[in-house]
Amino acid sequence: QFDTLPTNAGLKMTPQEVDVQSHLDIRRRFFSTGYNLRFFVDKKSSGKEFIEQEIYRPLGAYSVTRYGRLSLNLALPPIAGEKLVILDKDNILDPGTITVSRSLNSRRFYNVIKFSYDLSDDGTYQSILEVLDSTSLNQIGIDSTLNIASSGIRSDLGGSVLARRQGQHLLNRFKNAAYEVTVKVNFRAATQIQVGDIIVLKDEGNLQIANLDTGERDVGVKLFEVIDYKPDIKTGVGDLTLLS
């Protein structure tokens, strides 16, 4: 179904190496109306770099590895799916080692998304679109710009609509500086989680997790995305990094 390139092109990957179902699910859930990109390729390039920079990045997606296969996820605020693991006092270990961090000088804070597209033959971009959040700019007083230069987005293919929509999605995730929480979980919880999963973090004061929105030591019930997962086969403990 997807092996449509000439025999001397492509990465020659099999369905055993690619998480095909996640690609189909994301297309069905978020890109049902469809977007077209058009590329002019005149030389060899790294397939991995091309896919990540020219296809995933303009669509607000990024690559992850799930169940040993190459997969992807979207830079959206966490959205609950069919499978939802709850992390709380019953499966989180060593609460004293939990850390919460937020920084404005990291890749977790952007309040301006700048798209450059309509690449011409001379290598210059003919169209520039900036999507910004004025509330974040005024309240925080710092502008942080994420630049996305795309050779595939074209105005005649609805490029401005795509750029504006994906820019708004990225702002919704990063305009107030997303923060990270690191936790250790027991074997039962660890075996149910993969990078890219959305989980529920529940703390009603027992775990003393800092709530950066209120300043209290009570994060309440919030959705987080798992962005890093390190299982320890010997101990059964899983180290997770969660992104708000």
Side-chain angles (χ1 to χ4, degrees), residues 16-136:
Q16 286 72 38
E17 299 171 295
V18 181
D19 182 7
V20 177
Q21 191 58 51
S22 289
H23 284 78
L24 294 176
D25 289 343
I26 284 180
R27 178 180 180 180
R28 173 181 55 83
R29 293 179 65 190
F30 302 105
F31 299 103
S32 58
T33 56
Y35 288 110
N36 290 316
L37 305 176
R38 183 171 64 237
F39 302 97
F40 295 97
V41 180
D42 60 0
K43 59 183 179 182
K44 276 188 176 182
S45 63
S46 162
K48 179 179 185 296
E49 182 178 338
F50 183 86
I51 290 171
E52 291 182 345
Q53 297 300 318
E54 296 290 355
I55 299 177
Y56 285 176
R57 185 177 170 88
L59 297 177
Y62 54 94
S63 61
V64 297
T65 301
R66 290 172 55 80
Y67 301 106
R69 296 180 177 180
L70 297 178
S71 187
L72 81 164
N73 214 346
L74 294 182
L76 294 171
I79 301 173
E82 298 175 0
K83 167 190 166 186
L84 200 59
V85 176
I86 299 176
L87 301 183
D88 56 17
K89 61 182 177 60
D90 295 326
N91 50 26
I92 291 179
L93 308 175
D94 301 329
T97 64
I98 296 174
T99 63
V100 181
S101 59
R102 171 186 268 166
S103 175
L104 297 181
N105 59 358
S106 69
R107 295 167 60 189
R108 306 285 183 243
F109 169 58
Y110 300 106
N111 49 22
V112 180
I113 312 298
K114 181 180 178 181
F115 277 86
S116 303
Y117 55 100
D118 285 333
L119 183 66
S120 66
D121 293 341
D122 64 4
T124 60
Y125 293 96
Q126 303 300 302
S127 301
I128 304 292
L129 177 66
E130 288 190 350
V131 185
L132 57 88
D133 187 273
S134 57
T135 301
S136 172

Side-chain angles (χ1 to χ4, degrees), residues 167-233:
Q168 192 59 57
H169 286 328
L170 290 166
L171 286 178
N172 289 342
R173 184 69 183 273
F174 299 116
K175 64 185 179 182
N176 294 320
Y179 59 91
E180 296 181 9
V181 179
T182 62
V183 298
K184 295 180 182 295
V185 298
N186 63 21
F187 180 77
R188 183 175 182 179
T191 56
Q192 301 179 64
I193 295 172
Q194 289 285 316
V195 170
D197 284 352
I198 304 302
I199 59 90
V200 173
L201 183 61
K202 181 180 179 181
D203 173 28
E204 297 175 344
N206 309 86
L207 300 172
Q208 294 287 291
I209 302 175
N211 187 331
L212 298 186
D213 296 325
T214 64
E216 303 292 331
R217 302 289 292 185
D218 175 2
V219 78
V221 179
K222 291 183 181 295
L223 293 173
F224 285 82
E225 177 189 349
V226 179
I227 62 171
D228 193 23
Y229 168 56
K230 297 176 181 175
D232 188 322
I233 304 301

